[in-house]
Amino acid sequence: MDSSIEMPVWPQYDHREKELLLDVLESRKWWRMNGNKVDTFEKKFAEFCNAEYCIALTNGTHALELSLATLGIGKGDEVIVPAITFISTATAPIYNCATPVPVDCDPKTFCIIPEAIEKAITPKTKAIIPVHMAGQPCDMDRICEIAKKYNLRIIEDAAHAHGAEWKNKKIGTFGEFAIFSFQNGKIMTCGEGGAILTNSKELYDKAFLIHSVGRPKFDKVYKHLELGSNYRMSEFPAAILLAQLERLPEQNKLREKNAKILDNLLKPVEGITPQSTDERVTINTHYMYMFYYDELMFNGITREEFVQLLNDNGIPSYICFPIVSNTDFFKEGKFRSYLSKIDITNIQALPNAERMAKEVIWLPHYLLLGNEAFIKHIASVILKIKEKVLVSML
Ligand SMILES: *Cc1c(COP(=O)(O)O)cnc(C)c1O
């Protein structure tokens, strides 16, 4: 391998994480209620996203569950979600006794299709959870219009989109809530963590109570004003996130630059078609570099075999999420006491999602933090595999 090629690593850290972590350790204030790191992170993250309020949480899954609970969405309600997403987008409604309704995604941007949302609306529909897929913001103009027309709440699932922008406006304040994840693979991370943003004081106050077992901020007398759970973040992950946030804007820029370089290098490769960016998107955070893989152009080597070859050649890669309603627990109706059964025969046709679930491959975002030699190396590995499999056809 060319010596100028640097294989990027993830997660990244430097002296900032160390300083901030040590600060927490030595302060003996490890809990958000007596320390200041969680408070400071919430303030800085809200500012970064131009939002009024932030609550740091245990993880992104809890962030979705908390948002729905705060909005009072529950039994008998329907929540529209994209068919292709990480499972939590669809399980959070179930945990609140509501029914997730998966709809189709755009074959180019991989985001939920606004017209498909509109078609799925029934008198029971209460909310939409658009997912900014791989860091590409959804068409928030149309989604906000639809929400207004039918009086629906919006919870943006921005687990991939920290710092992304739709038409120069930061993702995170288009709806009642936006949720973020700081899990190990995400573009800023503390191992496990999450957050919600909102511009509503009333929703913030209620969400704060629910995330802290119903207790007001400085309660010392066991006051429980709401039914809640414990979704509080501790001071240690918040310390790491403060440092991660300082690095994020620069990393978002580098990923955009490198994604464009990789797009151009892969353009001539028949059988590889990358996710495309809507031209109204001003920042795409590229949490995943996603592309269709056509096995016919690779001598019948299956997608799974191709992913294995990429991994064998030092390029970490994965297959796309399944359609949420095609997961085992969903198909078998194992919803415990939450819902008796979701009638999956009622789900709209999902032809684009089916193709994505079958043909899409993704590379993790940190590969796009490599130097230019590494980006060229990714393309050359793909080309070399292609040459090899085509030669073996002769
Ligand atoms: C990662 C992710 C989540 C859940 O976040 P966790 O912190 O892992 O619980 C939710 N939605 C999407 C789209 C995700 O990718």
Side-chain angles (χ1 to χ4, degrees):
M1 204 157 88
D2 174 351
S3 64
S4 61
I5 297 170
E6 286 166 33
M7 173 75 190
V9 292
W10 191 260
Q12 293 187 0
Y13 69 88
D14 63 18
H15 66 280
R16 281 297 285 155
E17 274 86 353
K18 290 186 191 174
E19 277 164 23
L20 289 157
L21 276 173
L22 201 61
D23 225 27
V24 174
L25 186 76
E26 292 176 348
S27 73
R28 295 181 198 278
K29 290 176 177 164
W30 298 355
W31 189 40
R32 77 156 295 163
M33 295 305 180
N34 58 12
N36 60 22
K37 293 290 186 284
V38 174
D39 279 340
T40 310
F41 173 69
E42 288 173 343
K43 196 161 158 278
K44 291 207 164 156
F45 193 64
E47 265 169 26
F48 173 69
C49 299
N50 297 316
E52 291 293 323
Y53 307 99
C54 172
I55 303 175
L57 302 165
T58 34
N59 58 60
T61 304
H62 286 163
L64 285 162
E65 292 168 14
L66 174 61
S67 300
L68 289 161
T70 305
L71 292 168
I73 290 167
K75 203 162 183 189
D77 296 336
E78 292 177 0
V79 178
I80 295 174
V81 302
I84 294 281
T85 175
F86 183 67
I87 196 68
S88 301
T89 319
T91 51
I94 301 176
Y95 263 84
N96 282 279
C97 307
T99 304
V101 178
V103 304
D104 212 3
C105 301
D106 183 273
K108 288 206 168 89
T109 65
F110 299 174
C111 289
I112 194 164
I113 301 175
E115 291 69 33
I117 296 175
E118 203 160 5
K119 259 204 279 175
I121 293 170
T122 74
K124 293 179 182 168
T125 309
K126 289 284 155 44
I128 310 166
I129 311 183
V131 176
H132 303 304
M133 182 52 66
Q136 147 119 253
C138 298
D139 181 345
M140 293 315 293
D141 291 6
R142 286 285 293 125
I143 293 173
C144 290
E145 262 170 40
I146 292 168
K148 201 163 169 206
K149 182 169 165 195
Y150 296 93
N151 189 28
L152 306 177
R153 311 282 85 78
I154 296 175
I155 300 167
E156 292 177 76
D157 184 334
H160 307 166
H162 320 58
E165 281 182 14
W166 171 255
K167 292 167 60 173
N168 294 307
K169 184 180 163 173
K170 280 264 170 16
I171 284 311
T173 52
F174 285 93
E176 277 66 26
F177 283 112
I179 76 94
F180 294 82
S181 166
F182 308 119
Q183 176 270 340
N184 202 58
K186 302 291 154 80
I187 60 174
M188 53 184 285
T189 181
C190 53
E192 297 278 11
I196 54 171
L197 296 179
T198 182
N199 274 346
S200 155
K201 173 83 167 70
E202 196 185 327
L203 290 176
Y204 166 79
D205 286 341
K206 188 167 175 199
F208 192 94
L209 288 176
I210 298 174
H211 112 290
S212 189
V213 286
R215 296 175 83 174
K217 213 163 202 169
F218 300 110
D219 172 55
K220 291 204 167 60
V221 294
Y222 299 100
K223 242 181 176 352
H224 298 278
L225 302 175
E226 291 273 353
L227 171 66
S229 189
N230 183 352
Y231 300 138
R232 290 186 307 252
M233 179 180 277
S234 102
E235 290 286 285
F236 291 104
I240 297 178
L241 290 172
L242 279 168
Q244 297 271 309
L245 183 58
E246 291 167 6
R247 232 175 269 122
L248 179 73
E250 186 191 313
Q251 291 175 334
N252 278 347
K253 269 199 199 119
L254 182 57
R255 272 192 298 268
E256 275 208 306
K257 176 173 157 246
N258 282 335
K260 284 201 184 102
I261 295 174
L262 192 53
D263 283 348
N264 283 327
L265 291 170
L266 295 178
K267 216 172 251 162
V269 187
E270 262 189 299
I272 302 281
T273 312
Q275 175 188 25
S276 45
T277 301
D278 187 306
E279 59 192 20
R280 291 165 293 178
V281 168
T282 41
I283 298 181
N284 179 340
T285 54
H286 294 284
Y287 165 62
M288 300 183 270
Y289 186 88
M290 302 178 94
F291 56 88
Y292 290 102
Y293 167 78
D294 180 356
E295 62 175 47
L296 294 178
M297 295 294 158
F298 284 76
N299 196 17
I301 295 289
T302 66
R303 175 180 64 159
E304 285 68 13
E305 287 166 336
F306 184 72
V307 163
Q308 187 60 49
L309 286 168
L310 285 173
N311 281 295
D312 291 346
N313 284 279
I315 308 294
S317 54
Y318 304 86
I319 61 165
C320 185
F321 306 119
I323 290 179
V324 288
S325 45
N326 281 352
T327 51
D328 291 344
F329 91 95
F330 219 112
K331 279 195 297 196
E332 290 161 21
K334 292 182 183 164
F335 303 126
R336 290 185 248 156
S337 56
Y338 296 107
L339 292 170
S340 48
K341 188 159 173 43
I342 293 175
D343 185 2
I344 61 173
T345 57
N346 255 349
I347 294 173
Q348 308 179 356
L350 305 167
N352 304 330
E354 268 163 29
R355 178 169 173 226
M356 285 174 67
K358 252 193 250 143
E359 295 181 16
V360 169
I361 292 173
W362 62 274
L363 312 178
H365 68 87
Y366 66 87
L367 300 188
L368 298 175
L369 297 177
N371 60 4
E372 197 164 332
F374 180 74
I375 304 303
K376 287 183 178 152
H377 175 67
I378 299 175
S380 81
V381 167
I382 291 174
L383 277 171
K384 266 188 210 136
I385 293 174
K386 187 164 188 190
E387 271 166 30
K388 249 196 191 150
V389 301
L390 289 182
V391 165
S392 69
M393 187 168 66
L394 301 175

